[in-house]
Amino acid sequence: EIVMTQSPATLSVSPGERVTLSCRASQSVSGNLAWYQQRPGQAPRLLIYDASARATGIPARFSGSGSGTEFTLTITSLQSEDSAIYYCQQYDDWPPLTFGGGTKVEI
Amino acid sequence: EVQLVESGGTLVQPGGSLRLSCAASGFTFSFYEMNWVRQAPGKGLEWVSHIDGSGSIIYYADSVRGRFTISRDNANKSLYLQMSSLRVEDTAVYFCARGPRVSSFWGQGTLVTVSP
């Protein structure tokens, strides 16, 4: 099973700032990496797939990069509605599909 | 509009059984693989099970294999999760999600609480 590790666990930032969230895989997942946003009380929302492709309707301030074992999600010009927990998920070697533990972004 | 609506979650005692349902609409259900993903209170996301469009290819997480059964009824556009021998650690919100590997559509979830 591929273990996904996210860092940091929590980020406190101000509106308008830029943040970078990290996700590391225990072995290479090539580019088969997705990012989800989950606001309190809501279902996860797909942001990024294939490491860097934005999902439909996702603002350009969200971008993903990386390959192999190291990935990042960058959010520029943070807005209040970006307060959420962000999860990475690998789908290279499955089952099982595996998620990181999440990074909570507080604004 | 794609919609996934889960139901069936409730309070159940350890060792009990429960069946969750997920009603799909807005897309050709039989064309899509589906997943169940759960989230324990205050915890992260955990993939539970996967089923292909015909129901012939099925996968389970180790934590539920032998206790949970995924199935689907394409005629009624529904996905199911039969849960038995429930444990306290199965307490979670259960989401159905359109697959196969990346889920762009999720339901709002249904809460299963396993407690004496």
Side-chain angles (χ1 to χ4, degrees), chain A residues 10-88:
Chain A
T10 305
L11 269 176
S12 295
V13 294
S14 299
E17 287 189 356
R18 166 190 168 124
V19 294
T20 300
L21 285 59
S22 295
C23 174
R24 175 177 294 175
S26 60
Q27 64 189 70
S28 176
V29 299
S30 188
N32 296 309
L33 191 284
W35 290 95
Y36 297 89
Q37 175 194 66
Q38 188 178 32
R39 296 174 177 139
Q42 295 188 13
R45 172 195 183 197
L46 178 66
L47 299 176
I48 301 288
Y49 63 96
D50 292 348
S52 60
R54 266 190 305 277
T56 302
I58 301 303
R61 66 177 185 275
F62 292 91
S63 63
S65 63
S67 66
T69 62
E70 302 283 344
F71 299 88
T72 59
L73 174 70
T74 300
I75 314 172
T76 59
S77 301
L78 270 165
Q79 301 183 10
S80 58
E81 62 262 33
D82 298 333
S83 288
I85 300 176
Y86 293 83
Y87 295 96
C88 61

